[in-house]
Amino acid sequence: GDLKRFPTSNMSNALAGNVPGIIARQTSGQPGKSTSEFWIRGISTFGASSSAYILVDGFERSSLDELNIEDIESFTVLKDASATAIYGSKGANGVVLITTKRGKAGKINIDAKVETSYNTRTITPEFVDGLSYASLMNEALVTRNLGMAYQPEELELFRTQMDPDFYPNVDWMDVLMKDGAMTYRANLNMSGGGSTARYFVSLSYINEEGMYKTDEAMRKDYNTNPSSQRWNYRLNTDIDITKSTLVKVGVSGSLKKRNAPGQGANVWTSLMGQSPISIPVMYSNGYIPSHGTDDNRNNPWVLATQSGYKEIWNNKIQTNISLEQKLDFITKGLRFEGRFGFDTSNQS
């Protein structure tokens, strides 16, 4: 229940500060890529490329990224060596045990949920205006006996913006960034069944919008704003073949689409490499300026809005079958359990 209180599309992010014994670090805020790395059992495994052993319904999973939080029935973190010993070397850095929801005999039960949240940045660098930047540059040079870079009449041009081509005053953060972005979540699940067969079915949709501004003229053709959409589905079925034989069938999957600017990886580097007086966003004749050839001297507005777009699709399907056979006729409480799983994953 506690994990569901956090408005995040990524389960790894919900662990930070919420599950004792876990250290989490989020290295990106880009929608669809904001996965937190996490470590169990203290700082000793930090940075050692040692991940926890993750089991979902008894099947090993490489990550928690595509798991729908609403599908989880129970979540357990094993940290002590005595508890993880049965998993061998794979459990050396802790074990995460997740059980998904299953149907119960009785009338059909339907749950639906729709959530909307507005996300803002906690800390964003603020830059001085062009006049202040040029004045501070003059001050730094004068104190080193190097003379002024800009004369008083030039400083006035920065202030009045009468010649923005040669004396620009650009707030790059305002040009590129919105104050925040919306996230939309919807979930529908149904469960029920009889004494012989039970089922649990869920569908979910998450849409995370990005915080880049876009060129409205270009948006008619494509969207350069980083964003992510994900569809999850799950079907868990339990069938009693006999009074002592239970078959469990599970099919789950996720389809994710992620948008990004064509040169989006260099936008922030270029943003930090420019100054408010280095180049205008665009010259008055319609030409687009570029200051040097390195990534940190490109025009960040061009990289974010004029370099095309990327659209990445990830499709994952996980199928599993389990057979549980009670062997009480040999020893009370003894049972045999066999599992078979088949996963597919592709990206385009």
Side-chain angles (χ1 to χ4, degrees), residues 41 78-92 95:
R41 300 178 66 186
L78 303 179
K79 301 183 289 289
D80 298 333
S82 58
T84 60
I86 60 173
Y87 299 99
S89 59
K90 289 185 176 181
V95 180

Side-chain angles (χ1 to χ4, degrees), residues 130-328:
L131 177 60
S132 299
Y133 188 92
S135 300
L136 290 169
M137 182 183 295
N138 277 349
E139 183 179 330
L141 291 171
V142 169
T143 57
R144 290 163 176 79
N145 297 316
L146 296 176
M148 293 191 300
Y150 299 102
Q151 298 304 311
E153 56 270 21
E154 293 178 296
L155 294 177
E156 185 66 9
L157 287 174
F158 282 125
R159 188 185 69 82
T160 62
Q161 283 298 281
M162 295 184 66
D163 187 3
D165 285 348
F166 291 97
Y167 297 92
N169 184 2
V170 182
D171 185 341
W172 290 106
M173 195 65 71
D174 182 64
V175 168
L176 288 176
M177 304 298 294
K178 297 190 294 185
D179 292 334
M182 302 297 295
T183 295
Y184 306 95
R185 298 160 54 95
N187 188 83
L188 173 67
N189 62 56
M190 297 179 288
S191 62
S195 57
T196 303
R198 281 83 57 198
Y199 62 88
F200 171 82
V201 184
S202 76
L203 297 169
S204 71
Y205 169 73
I206 297 174
N207 180 8
E208 292 181 282
E209 295 183 349
M211 296 189 188
Y212 283 3
K213 291 180 180 178
T214 55
D215 185 342
E216 292 302 319
M218 305 294 285
R219 286 200 65 171
K220 296 176 183 177
D221 300 318
Y222 55 81
N223 186 3
T224 60
N225 191 14
S227 60
S228 175
Q229 299 179 62
R230 194 179 82 211
W231 296 261
N232 280 79
Y233 57 89
R234 179 177 298 275
L235 169 62
N236 286 340
T237 306
D238 299 346
I239 304 171
D240 292 312
I241 304 298
T242 69
K243 290 183 178 180
S244 61
T245 308
L246 173 64
V247 174
K248 296 181 177 180
V249 179
V251 179
S252 63
S254 64
L255 178 64
K256 181 167 72 173
K257 184 185 80 167
R258 184 165 55 84
N259 265 59
Q263 296 294 321
N266 301 322
V267 172
W268 271 100
T269 307
S270 297
L271 174 63
M272 297 301 166
Q274 294 295 349
S275 75
I277 63 174
S278 56
I279 55 174
V281 176
M282 183 181 293
Y283 288 121
S284 55
N285 63 2
Y287 286 12
I288 295 175
S290 180
H291 192 88
T293 57
D294 296 331
D295 286 340
N296 67 333
R297 304 304 285 170
N298 282 327
N299 186 325
W301 176 76
V302 171
L303 296 182
T305 67
Q306 309 297 310
S307 62
Y309 74 108
K310 296 177 184 177
E311 188 173 280
I312 301 101
W313 289 84
N314 292 90
N315 184 23
K316 294 184 179 181
I317 304 174
Q318 299 170 340
T319 306
N320 60 78
I321 301 175
S322 299
L323 172 67
E324 297 181 7
Q325 177 63 57
K326 295 180 180 179
L327 300 174
D328 290 336

Side-chain angles (χ1 to χ4, degrees), residues 54-61 63-64 67 96-100 234 318 320:
I54 300 170
L55 291 172
V56 179
D57 291 333
F59 289 85
E60 182 178 352
R61 300 299 180 209
S63 71
L64 303 173
L67 190 62
V96 176
L97 299 177
I98 296 174
T99 302
T100 60
R234 179 177 298 275
Q318 299 170 340
N320 60 78

Side-chain angles (χ1 to χ4, degrees), residues 35-51:
T35 301
S36 288
E37 299 176 81
F38 68 93
W39 294 268
I40 300 175
R41 300 178 66 186
I43 202 74
S44 61
T45 59
F46 188 83
S49 299
S50 302
S51 57

